[in-house]
Amino acid sequence: RRVLFPCVTTLYQEPIVVSDAEGVWVRDTDGAEYLDFFAGILTTSVGHCNPDVVSAVRKQIGRLGHTSTLYITENQLQVAEQLGRISPGELSSCYFTNSGSEAVETAIMLAQQYTGQHEVIALRHSYSGRTALAATLTAQSAWRPKAGGIAHVRHAMVPYPYRTPGNLSEEALADLFAHDLEEVIRTTTNGKPAAFFAETIQGVGGVVVPPAGYFQRAAAIIRKYGGLFICDEVQPGFGRTGDHWFAIEHWDVEPDIMVMAKGMANGFPVGATITRPEIAEAWQAKTISTFGGNPVSMAAAHATMTVMEREHVPARAAARGAQLKAGLFKLYDKHAWIGEVRGKGLMQGIELVKDRDSKVPAPDRVKALLEATKKEGLLVGVGGMHGQTIRIGPSLLITEAEMNEALTRLANACDRV
Ligand code: PMP
């Protein structure tokens, strides 16, 4: 509190001071050991201190530690080629930065330059980062600065089936949310937006999965008005949601621009924005990122993605995700205060409510469960507008036995509350 901004938020009444980690295990300075079910916010994608990543970083740091984007490194080109290989459709042209926020900024600036238009529609409940523009795209008041911000962002209805009144079918829900997006364009912009920007599955918003058909309709709508479809894969990307490399592929939509960060380099600072070459060409202004594409971060990204490809993480996440979901549904059957279990692959959440009829969000129960998981030696995350959702997103290499152990600890913690 003396040396850091008071706004630096930590979890738990007494924060955990982490000192060592390996795979899915984390130790604190008091020697307590935790099974990490949240992976530093879905980021240590191939496990803490993955030996391949550590060795690549060690080698690189003794050889070349910095260049700036004024120079090319082989690592950077290798990572760009890897990204192009696993990204949907024609996405192949990359710009590297140091964080998700910067990747988001790059995407929006690019869409504006490509379309010559400036307004952007994002989704309510979203989280997009901590830079001025990313915080303006973010649509949770708790995460927005209390003064300032950048204008020209409008927010459409969040595609959040659980919190949408009525008993609508998936198709009717997709229609409702897509209709709202079009209404927002028609009523709150000049009718010529640069982009529609959306997390494919909201993370901080509480693992919100849109209904089938929504993204197809949303992409068609934004294109009808001359804008681009940008999807934020910072949390769900890199195989985490199972079966595919990127979550948007579940809905068979090709975005115009995609942003990535977090799990891409297993915890090293990397953000990436990828697009089609013809869109990338629209960026005519000079631009530079001193640390973007740093050789050490790129070595980490290259090693991380090589492990991911070798280990077939989309298939692994599907298998471990099915195990996780089955375990969470057992908890749902036992505890009437679990309102919904949702997510895909290894990105899952449980939303806690007062009771299933009223669906009143229960953030206090989340706090109690968080403290109980700490006692059980399990790290989980929190999300949702009210802090009513427990978020789970472990390493993509978590084993079957580790998953069982984590589920046992979570079940014990649920019993405690
Ligand atoms: N987009 C999403 C979906 C995120 O969850 C985050 C970070 N939680 C960001 C962007 C911003 O990333 P960073 O914190 O690396 O700037």
Side-chain angles (χ1 to χ4, degrees):
R1 292 221 161 83
R2 196 163 46 75
V3 295
L4 299 179
F5 278 21
C7 64
V8 174
T9 41
T10 55
L11 292 172
Y12 312 105
Q13 283 157 5
E14 248 339 280
I16 295 176
V17 185
V18 175
S19 58
D20 301 85
E22 189 184 348
V24 297
W25 298 98
V26 166
R27 256 189 312 283
D28 71 11
T29 45
D30 296 328
E33 197 166 54
Y34 301 90
L35 202 165
D36 191 352
F37 225 13
F38 199 41
I41 324 181
L42 289 74
T43 297
T44 49
S45 48
V46 292
H48 289 282
C49 300
N50 180 290
D52 289 24
V53 180
V54 169
S55 147
V57 165
R58 278 211 175 108
K59 262 194 222 138
Q60 184 60 48
I61 211 161
R63 241 183 109 188
L64 175 70
H66 174 74
T67 56
S68 87
T69 47
L70 291 176
Y71 306 90
I72 299 289
T73 63
E74 287 175 350
N75 285 343
Q76 202 183 112
L77 299 184
Q78 274 171 335
V79 173
E81 270 168 14
Q82 273 174 318
L83 277 183
R85 191 160 64 234
I86 64 172
S87 292
E90 292 171 45
L91 302 183
S92 58
S93 185
C94 301
Y95 192 88
F96 293 111
T97 49
N98 312 286
S99 65
S101 302
E102 287 172 84
V104 168
E105 297 258 347
T106 305
I108 300 288
M109 288 194 285
L110 178 60
Q112 289 174 327
Q113 292 178 85
Y114 181 74
T115 59
Q117 300 169 187
H118 70 283
E119 290 174 307
V120 175
I121 300 94
L123 291 175
R124 294 186 191 140
H125 296 206
S126 63
Y127 179 89
S128 303
R130 60 168 307 286
T131 55
L133 174 57
T136 307
L137 285 164
T138 296
Q140 293 195 42
S141 56
W143 289 102
R144 289 167 68 99
K146 295 299 166 229
I150 296 175
H152 306 309
V153 175
R154 305 286 179 264
H155 293 94
M157 193 187 256
V158 57
Y160 192 169
Y162 182 65
R163 293 258 164 230
T164 306
N167 234 340
L168 301 176
S169 67
E170 269 208 273
E171 205 183 337
L173 283 164
D175 271 345
L176 174 79
F177 302 132
H179 179 74
D180 182 74
L181 170 62
E182 187 151 16
E183 278 299 290
V184 167
I185 295 173
R186 281 203 189 128
T187 58
T188 70
T189 76
N190 65 5
K192 289 202 158 299
F196 166 56
F197 183 97
E199 292 167 71
T200 40
I201 295 178
Q202 288 188 342
V204 178
V207 194
V208 175
V209 187
Y214 171 69
F215 278 124
Q216 284 97 326
R217 286 175 177 74
I221 290 168
I222 190 65
R223 286 170 182 151
K224 187 168 101 186
Y225 289 89
L228 300 182
F229 171 44
I230 306 173
C231 74
D232 181 338
E233 292 273 356
V234 167
Q235 294 209 18
F238 295 98
R240 174 161 295 283
T241 60
D243 297 324
H244 301 285
W245 283 104
F246 294 97
I248 194 64
E249 295 171 276
H250 289 290
W251 296 288
D252 210 17
V253 174
E254 191 180 326
D256 299 301
I257 308 177
M258 196 164 78
V259 298
M260 296 152 280
K262 289 206 195 288
M264 180 177 164
N266 209 40
F268 287 84
V270 177
T273 308
I274 193 165
T275 188
R276 294 194 297 276
E278 122 235 5
I279 298 177
E281 273 167 27
W283 195 309
Q284 297 287 332
K286 283 165 77 157
T287 192
I288 197 166
S289 173
T290 302
F291 301 123
N294 171 281
V296 181
S297 298
M298 287 291 113
H302 179 51
T304 302
M305 289 164 61
T306 303
V307 173
M308 286 174 168
E309 287 188 293
R310 187 183 70 215
E311 299 294 334
H312 306 289
V313 290
R316 282 182 83 123
R320 292 288 72 76
Q323 185 188 357
L324 171 58
K325 195 143 222 170
L328 295 179
F329 272 119
K330 274 196 197 148
L331 300 179
Y332 178 88
D333 290 340
K334 188 163 180 195
H335 302 286
W337 41 264
I338 298 180
E340 191 177 48
V341 172
R342 58 173 178 260
K344 282 190 185 291
L346 289 175
M347 183 172 182
Q348 302 277 341
I350 50 176
E351 179 157 347
L352 307 194
V353 290
K354 234 170 120 203
D355 55 74
R356 283 190 191 149
D357 285 340
S358 74
K359 291 190 181 176
V360 171
D364 289 345
R365 202 166 324 240
V366 165
K367 279 190 196 132
L369 185 53
L370 195 66
E371 295 300 331
T373 51
K374 186 184 182 188
K375 287 204 183 85
E376 292 293 331
L378 181 74
L379 303 184
V380 295
V382 175
M385 273 293 286
H386 313 276
Q388 79 277 28
T389 301
I390 291 280
R391 291 157 65 200
I392 296 167
S395 160
L396 303 173
L397 301 188
I398 191 169
T399 64
E400 190 175 351
E402 288 164 343
M403 179 62 80
N404 277 333
E405 178 62 31
L407 284 166
T408 302
R409 292 180 186 207
L410 184 60
N412 291 343
C414 285
D415 288 341
R416 278 177 187 263
V417 301

